[in-house]
Amino acid sequence: MEFTVKTGSPDKPRTGCIVVGVFEGRKLTPAALALDAASRGHITEVLKSGDLEGKVGGTLLLHKVPRVGADRVLLVGLGRERELSEAPFRAALGAAMRVLRGTGASEAAFPLSATLKGRDIGWYAEQVVLAVKDGAYRFDRLKSKPPKAKGALKRITLVVSKRADVAEAERGVARGEAIGEGIALAKDLGNLPGNVCTPTYLAEQAQELAKRHGMKAEILERKDMERLGMGCFLAVAQGSRQPPKLIVVEYRGGAKDKAPVALVGKGITFDTGGISIKPAAEMDEMKFDMCGAASVLGTLRAVALMRLPINVVGVIPATENMPGGNAIKPGDIVTTMSGQTVEILNTDAEGRLVLCDALTYVEKYKPAAVIDIATLTGAMVIALGHVATGMFSNSDTLAREMIDAGNTSWDRAWHMPLWDDYQEMLKSNFADFPNIGTRAGGSITAACFLARFTKAYPWAHLDIAGTAWKSGAEKGATGRPVALLSHFLAKRAA
Ligand code: BES
Ligand code: MN
Ligand code: ZN
């Protein structure tokens, strides 16, 4: 897919389809007005039919609008003009893509204009690129006969009205393309089933990614982890036939002596719950339990494509969580790499068990900041649903950066508490502490557990249990929070 930025009037481009907005009450946006003027009132005339009121997500596809260069005009509802904000804008873009993808158009044009407060033309360009790539995304490599996509989009033109806006729009396009590639990689890895996407497969993909972008990849095997004393990670892995891998990828875009940002992604390639086994319903979705890992690799891809002047190290503890004759049992006590002992009261709280050793491991990099990304708790879905990622941090500065990056990229996160009061819930009669608390505040106790391993550096924890994938008819990985992480790193690099 190719994206280009052009200046000019929206009636000019010869393209398969031009997408323009209409506000509620059939009020035309400047681009729609331009098409209306060129077609001598055709758009206004059609809207009189009442087929499109301008409600968010409503669409109307017109063919052969007189004196307009595009074969089709796609009108998209933006809602009330006074209430226009990022959410309706993104919803309208999504709706436009659903219609566009059902047409035979292989080229499309999107006129851009900055109307939201605090958003420049580059932001719009980035959002359009991301929406187009998201809408065009398919995962059909495992179907015996991949369905033929109708007129797959090949060329996209972003039309700006002023020459002065071109450079900014082009920067937005470049960002969108890089982040979009990262998101697509994260989606692909997430969507692959557990029998394909094993820890070994993840390690191979990481090595391939590193090779393609001149990064360094290192895979630590079970014996390496034994030597390092990663008793907690290995405890989770011991129930599986698949060998565990600790995947390390280093991107060096910054000065040699500059401390890196470490990204640590939960890589449970399938979570059965282990001996504390999960119920059967929807258990297939636990193939997505490596989406944190996928977002680390996706972000590294985006960072490499943007050539950010920053050092980043991605670390992924990858294993399955399986029941079996050698699996950990509730009550088992293991020693972590940090030396602290943990009583495993529930083998299904395995994410924190693999992350804690990886979080100790990254201390060796003397990182400027550490972000872990994990589909950690079902309680996170109950708390924030599928809109915001839960963010916890031991540093208010870092927390602010994460929230800001989420707002900028519109891949939003919400600041959750990590007060010492909650640490009370982690008490064991037999070990230093257990791996679960009571049911109440389950996401927070999980974060509190991790906090006991992250005292050496500024740290943020992203619980993406509610945002990493969609269930139901649209079941599939979302690629979140690659956009948030990419913006966070871009800001740090600047
Ligand atoms: N991977 C799950 C968390 C999860 C569950 C994410 C459902 C998204 C949807 C995690 O390993 C887990 O099983 N967590 C347990 C923890 C509990 C035993 C304290 C949970 O959330 O139920
Ligand atoms: Mn689990
Ligand atoms: Zn899990």
Side-chain angles (χ1 to χ4, degrees):
M1 214 180 299
E2 199 184 292
F3 294 89
T4 43
V5 177
K6 282 204 179 119
T7 46
S9 172
D11 57 302
K12 292 292 183 296
R14 299 205 169 278
T15 180
C17 185
I18 186 152
V19 183
V20 295
V22 177
F23 291 113
E24 228 173 287
R26 302 175 207 166
K27 179 159 191 289
L28 305 184
T29 54
L33 270 175
L35 297 187
D36 196 46
S39 64
R40 298 185 195 141
H42 185 84
I43 310 263
T44 329
E45 198 53 43
V46 169
L47 285 178
K48 280 188 191 147
S49 69
D51 291 7
L52 183 79
E53 292 294 346
K55 290 217 172 21
V56 182
T59 55
L60 184 62
L61 185 65
L62 309 178
H63 291 86
K64 304 216 176 306
V65 176
R67 290 168 294 275
V68 164
D71 301 334
R72 306 170 187 77
V73 172
L74 177 55
L75 303 175
V76 191
L78 289 171
R80 288 212 189 97
E81 187 173 14
R82 276 192 307 133
E83 289 164 18
L84 183 65
S85 66
E86 287 84 352
F89 176 73
R90 293 252 305 209
L93 266 182
M97 279 311 299
R98 276 189 291 280
V99 175
L100 201 51
R101 142 176 149 172
T103 71
S106 60
E107 301 181 10
F110 292 78
L112 303 179
S113 65
T115 46
L116 293 175
K117 225 170 102 196
R119 303 298 192 187
D120 58 21
I121 208 81
W123 185 84
Y124 285 88
E126 179 184 330
Q127 291 297 323
V128 168
V129 172
L130 287 176
V132 168
K133 284 173 100 72
D134 186 64
Y137 178 83
R138 295 283 185 297
F139 186 82
D140 44 27
R141 67 170 88 165
L142 298 178
K143 303 216 187 229
S144 60
K145 290 186 206 70
K148 271 246 175 324
K150 247 197 206 170
L153 283 174
K154 288 196 186 66
R155 259 183 302 280
I156 313 289
T157 311
L158 307 184
V159 188
V160 297
S161 48
K162 294 190 297 252
R163 191 150 286 285
D165 283 343
V166 173
E168 184 57 38
E170 280 174 345
R171 278 193 291 276
V173 167
R175 249 184 351 252
E177 287 193 278
I179 295 171
E181 285 300 300
I183 288 175
L185 173 60
K187 283 183 186 171
D188 279 348
L189 293 172
N191 287 334
L192 283 168
N195 64 329
V196 175
C197 186
T198 58
T200 303
Y201 180 87
L202 268 185
E204 286 164 3
Q205 292 304 302
Q207 281 170 315
E208 217 177 288
L209 174 75
K211 208 161 109 200
R212 194 154 12 125
H213 295 286
M215 299 188 278
K216 191 179 130 200
E218 188 191 359
I219 312 297
L220 279 72
E221 307 289 340
R222 194 193 299 269
K223 59 177 191 324
D224 304 312
M225 297 182 250
E226 279 166 1
R227 212 166 9 80
L228 287 163
M230 295 187 162
C232 212
F233 176 19
L234 289 174
V236 175
Q238 75 191 33
S240 168
R241 299 280 187 96
Q242 294 290 338
K245 307 277 172 182
L246 185 76
I247 302 164
V248 183
V249 182
E250 287 177 47
Y251 169 82
R252 304 220 143 260
K256 253 208 172 70
D257 56 347
K258 198 92 197 301
V261 171
L263 303 178
V264 178
K266 172 178 173 183
I268 300 294
T269 58
F270 197 86
D271 182 11
T272 64
I275 296 300
S276 314
I277 200 159
K278 288 182 180 294
E282 276 115 53
M283 209 213 269
D284 67 290
E285 296 191 5
M286 282 299 114
K287 71 172 183 177
F288 294 119
D289 212 18
M290 36 55 69
C291 281
S295 76
V296 169
L297 296 179
T299 301
L300 283 166
R301 178 151 165 71
V303 165
L305 287 170
M306 291 190 281
R307 297 178 190 284
L308 289 184
I310 190 172
N311 296 326
V312 183
V313 51
V315 175
I316 295 167
T319 179
E320 291 180 332
N321 184 24
M322 298 289 283
N326 197 43
I328 41 170
K329 306 165 290 297
D332 283 4
I333 294 178
V334 297
T335 304
T336 63
M337 186 180 174
S338 72
Q340 303 176 96
T341 60
V342 175
E343 183 185 16
I344 301 173
L345 288 179
N346 189 319
T347 66
D348 198 10
E350 85 298 340
R352 61 200 80 178
L353 298 178
V354 305
L355 287 169
C356 69
D357 283 340
L359 288 167
T360 302
Y361 180 77
V362 297
E363 275 184 28
K364 76 173 204 170
Y365 292 97
K366 304 205 172 6
V370 178
I371 320 295
D372 81 71
I373 309 99
T375 47
L376 204 61
T377 62
M380 200 71 251
V381 192
I382 305 301
L384 299 180
H386 303 288
V387 176
T389 292
M391 193 278 304
F392 304 76
S393 181
N394 63 6
S395 150
D396 286 341
T397 329
L398 181 59
R400 190 71 252 162
E401 283 180 83
M402 300 308 294
I403 297 296
D404 287 348
N407 291 337
T408 306
S409 58
W410 209 245
D411 179 0
R412 289 168 297 171
W414 189 256
H415 195 170
M416 300 283 294
L418 194 61
W419 298 320
D420 280 342
D421 312 47
Y422 291 102
Q423 290 285 358
E424 299 297 311
M425 289 153 87
L426 292 173
K427 287 222 164 78
S428 164
N429 284 353
F430 307 108
D432 292 350
F433 44 88
N435 72 328
I436 55 165
T438 52
R439 255 166 61 85
S443 308
I444 310 175
T445 33
C448 283
F449 179 95
L450 297 178
R452 296 176 177 217
F453 299 86
T454 58
K455 300 219 163 99
Y457 42 67
W459 158 74
H461 157 57
L462 298 175
D463 192 336
I464 55 168
T467 50
W469 75 88
K470 290 182 190 165
S471 308
E474 283 183 82
K475 192 189 287 180
T478 60
R480 290 179 68 180
V482 168
L484 179 157
L485 293 167
S486 302
H487 274 268
F488 163 72
L489 293 168
K491 189 87 189 284
R492 279 237 161 177

